[in-house]
Amino acid sequence: MQICVIGCGYVGLVTAVCFAEMGNSVTCVDSNGERIAALEKGISPIFEPGIEALLQSNIAGRRLTFSSSLAAAAPDAEIVFIAVGTPSASDGAADVSQILAVAQALSEHLSKPAIVVCKSTAPVGTACRVQAILDQTSAGLQHRVVSNPEFLKEGDALNDFMRPDRIIIGTDDRHSQRVMHQLYEPFVRNHDRIMFMSRRAAEMTKYAANAFLATKISFMNEMAAFCDEFAVDVEQVRKGIGADQRIGHHFIYAGCGYGGSCFPKDIRAMLHMAETQGTRMPILEAVEARNQLQKEWLFRCLQRSLGQDLRGVTVAIWGLAFKPGTDDIRDAPSRVLIESLLATGARIQAFDPIAADNIARCYARAVAEGQLALGDAHYAVLNNADALVLVTEWKQFRQPDFALMRTLMRRPLLLDGRNQYDPQQVERAGFAYHGVGRPASRPQLSALRRAG
Ligand SMILES: NC(=O)c1ccc[n+]([C@@H]2O[C@H](COP(=O)([O-])OP(=O)(O)OC[C@H]3O[C@@H](n4cnc5c(N)ncnc54)[C@H](O)[C@@H]3O)[C@@H](O)[C@H]2O)c1
């Protein structure tokens, strides 16, 4: 099929390479000219394991091309995917202006009837708005708008797209159902996981899925705080409840809060959608509030351990991306910590295998002034540090040499924002350890405070 994908970000690029890999002819459009220039050379603007190999093989196979001109790329497309951003507006609403602008441009440039697919996460009713724009302005051409939300996880996006749990297609139109089924069939060959529903239900399903996952995380973070009150290790509780098949082991890890380009903005968008209907979603309000608290936990914990005034203190950070496997730092917990530390006058030495450049761009002034140093090795950033904070649980941080770390650091304090380490092992190596909802060794912490 002749496909045009608009937006070459995490979703658009994965969509484009995966459809090309299945033998379709795909043109990917982005308004960012630098992105297109890099992509044409087979260089991915995003970090996603395996994406460059697929990108290069499909470019070489002439199934995948790139363009910065929608006017040039869209006219012949049978199916157009809209995969542009829907960031939070200042009032929390999902800003759908990029989608509507693309719809307007499509109405001017499509030269034959097309199926226009909204892949971006957007409030209920957005696909209908796109349909209305196309209906009003396309001279006599009948375009069909479908909602097909994306469920990929950054870091495992290719696998998610190639082997999806389900594919949600929101349309009541028979022709669109047939074409979309044909398009996705290669991805669900062993058993059909394509689900048809109304456009509005498809849009709502995406939000409901993210809200539910965020709720699981915030629930577990609240349990961690509760466990703290009773000196109970939340990790033991996690394993205990996860064994119940009705609960399961996924998404019940306590930590320093969820981030990324989806959960925070989608929860905010839902709260805003509720407000526009004159209703409330108290559970989601609590999910959001707990997440804010959780993101502040690392800084508060540092203050509890090292004193309120952190001026002159050096803090090492391991992991800056919002989760392992991606370079995405949007709404990442590391940023809340970095901003609090910068404001208080502390010095930061941070390492991330992939996301450091994005952080450097974001805090260019602090980098230039030497308050934020980005190291190129994880042990190197420990030199003379007063604390180490594990924020993102990249695999390479899983089994560190605690004895070596102890010799590098000025003060032996380890804050484990992902409950990655065995507290006793860390304490045996001479560290004061603090995890999320894990009983800390209080005497060690107070000894540390005195040493400071
Ligand atoms: N990132 C994820 O893990 C993920 C997962 C599922 C759904 N989503 C949703 O998918 C959508 C896209 O997310 P993303 O992370 O890929 O965004 P992104 O910011 O990485 O990419 C969006 C791209 O669209 C381009 N763009 C914007 N306006 C354009 C225009 N008029 N013409 C051409 N290109 C244009 C931008 O330059 C950018 O490259 C969002 O609604 C998001 O919520 C994201």
Side-chain angles (χ1 to χ4, degrees):
M1 289 186 206
Q2 202 74 34
I3 297 172
C4 177
V5 177
I6 302 170
C8 300
Y10 291 86
V11 169
L13 193 55
V14 170
T15 303
V17 297
C18 290
F19 282 136
E21 182 70 7
M22 292 299 177
N24 296 288
S25 171
V26 183
T27 303
C28 214
V29 180
D30 203 289
S31 48
N32 180 334
E34 277 176 30
R35 239 167 212 222
I36 293 298
L39 284 163
E40 280 172 334
K41 292 186 204 133
I43 301 166
S44 172
I46 56 160
F47 175 82
E48 187 59 49
I51 202 157
E52 272 190 356
L54 277 191
L55 185 60
Q56 287 159 13
S57 66
N58 282 290
I59 292 172
R62 294 166 193 255
R63 293 179 297 276
L64 184 58
T65 53
F66 294 93
S67 173
S68 50
S69 163
L70 190 136
D76 296 331
E78 297 167 71
I79 309 180
V80 180
F81 282 86
I82 304 179
V84 295
T86 48
S88 281
S90 55
D91 59 358
D95 175 357
V96 294
S97 58
Q98 293 178 30
I99 297 181
L100 301 182
V102 168
Q104 187 63 43
L106 285 172
S107 73
E108 290 157 24
H109 298 298
L110 286 172
S111 62
K112 60 181 190 187
I115 294 178
V116 175
V117 184
C118 294
K119 213 167 208 353
S120 303
T121 305
V124 174
T126 305
C128 292
R129 291 176 74 183
V130 171
Q131 183 77 66
I133 292 171
L134 293 173
D135 287 350
Q136 266 177 23
T137 47
S138 297
L141 296 177
Q142 282 235 312
H143 305 300
R144 296 165 157 101
V145 178
V146 170
S147 168
N148 168 221
E150 182 50 56
F151 295 93
L152 61 77
K153 299 183 292 294
E154 287 178 23
D156 201 20
L158 293 173
N159 188 43
D160 285 340
F161 201 96
M162 291 293 195
R163 279 171 284 275
D165 291 335
R166 77 312 208 176
I167 293 160
I168 302 284
I169 310 285
T171 177
D172 295 325
D173 174 64
R174 283 292 162 87
H175 170 74
S176 304
Q177 288 180 352
R178 239 185 348 265
V179 175
M180 294 300 284
H181 196 279
Q182 202 183 331
L183 178 67
Y184 273 113
E185 207 164 19
F187 300 92
V188 291
R189 282 182 72 83
N190 57 357
H191 69 279
D192 200 340
R193 277 154 285 152
I194 301 175
M195 299 165 83
F196 294 106
M197 57 182 72
S198 73
R199 288 194 293 216
R200 294 169 70 83
E203 290 167 329
M204 189 65 98
T205 300
K206 174 65 192 176
Y207 278 110
N210 277 358
F212 190 68
L213 293 172
T215 303
K216 285 180 88 172
I217 297 173
S218 274
F219 171 81
M220 215 51 206
N221 285 333
E222 190 138 309
M223 278 309 303
F226 199 51
C227 282
D228 245 349
E229 295 297 326
F230 294 91
V232 170
D233 185 346
V234 74
E235 276 299 289
Q236 294 179 13
V237 176
R238 174 182 69 75
K239 290 175 192 153
I241 64 170
D244 184 331
Q245 287 183 11
R246 294 168 303 175
I247 296 174
H249 290 288
H250 295 295
F251 270 78
I252 55 167
Y253 289 84
C256 52
Y258 59 76
S261 65
C262 294
F263 289 179
K265 89 167 167 61
D266 292 349
I267 302 298
R268 286 194 290 267
M270 285 181 86
L271 291 173
H272 186 270
M273 282 157 70
E275 209 178 301
T276 59
Q277 298 302 114
T279 185
R280 285 186 50 207
M281 298 195 76
I283 292 181
L284 286 193
E285 287 169 15
V287 166
E288 164 89 349
R290 163 52 67 188
N291 198 51
Q292 286 309 324
L293 272 179
Q294 213 63 23
K295 284 179 164 177
E296 291 157 15
W297 177 83
L298 295 167
F299 182 70
R300 284 200 315 272
C301 193
L302 277 173
Q303 283 188 316
R304 268 200 310 274
S305 306
L306 299 173
Q308 286 296 310
D309 186 359
L310 293 175
R311 263 176 304 178
V313 162
T314 299
V315 177
I317 301 178
W318 278 3
L320 300 164
F322 85 91
K323 67 172 183 179
T326 182
D327 60 349
D328 201 337
I329 57 163
R330 289 177 277 187
D331 271 321
S334 65
R335 294 179 62 177
V336 174
L337 176 62
I338 287 173
E339 282 160 29
S340 303
L341 288 171
L342 292 178
T344 198
R347 198 175 169 276
I348 305 167
Q349 299 174 167
F351 171 76
D352 187 287
I354 302 295
D357 287 350
N358 287 341
I359 287 286
R361 270 191 290 277
C362 208
Y363 300 102
R365 189 161 155 207
V367 172
E369 288 173 355
Q371 202 186 347
L372 170 60
L374 293 156
D376 50 15
H378 63 308
Y379 289 133
V381 299
L382 300 182
N383 277 328
N384 292 323
D386 295 291
L388 165 63
V389 186
L390 176 81
V391 181
T392 315
E393 68 280 32
W394 288 94
K395 283 200 184 89
Q396 62 187 274
F397 303 147
R398 275 197 194 160
Q399 282 192 315
D401 182 342
F402 291 114
L404 170 67
M405 289 157 63
R406 178 72 189 81
T407 63
L408 296 172
M409 291 174 65
R410 185 159 50 206
R411 280 196 275 194
L413 173 64
L414 199 164
L415 304 195
D416 182 356
R418 300 292 173 183
N419 287 353
Q420 189 83 160
Y421 302 121
D422 172 2
Q424 284 167 5
Q425 186 194 359
V426 177
E427 287 177 357
R428 270 199 306 275
F431 281 88
Y433 172 87
H434 213 96
V436 187
R438 313 193 82 180
S441 170
R442 309 284 171 192
Q444 278 204 52
L445 285 178
S446 37
L448 192 76
R449 216 166 8 241
R450 280 198 303 278

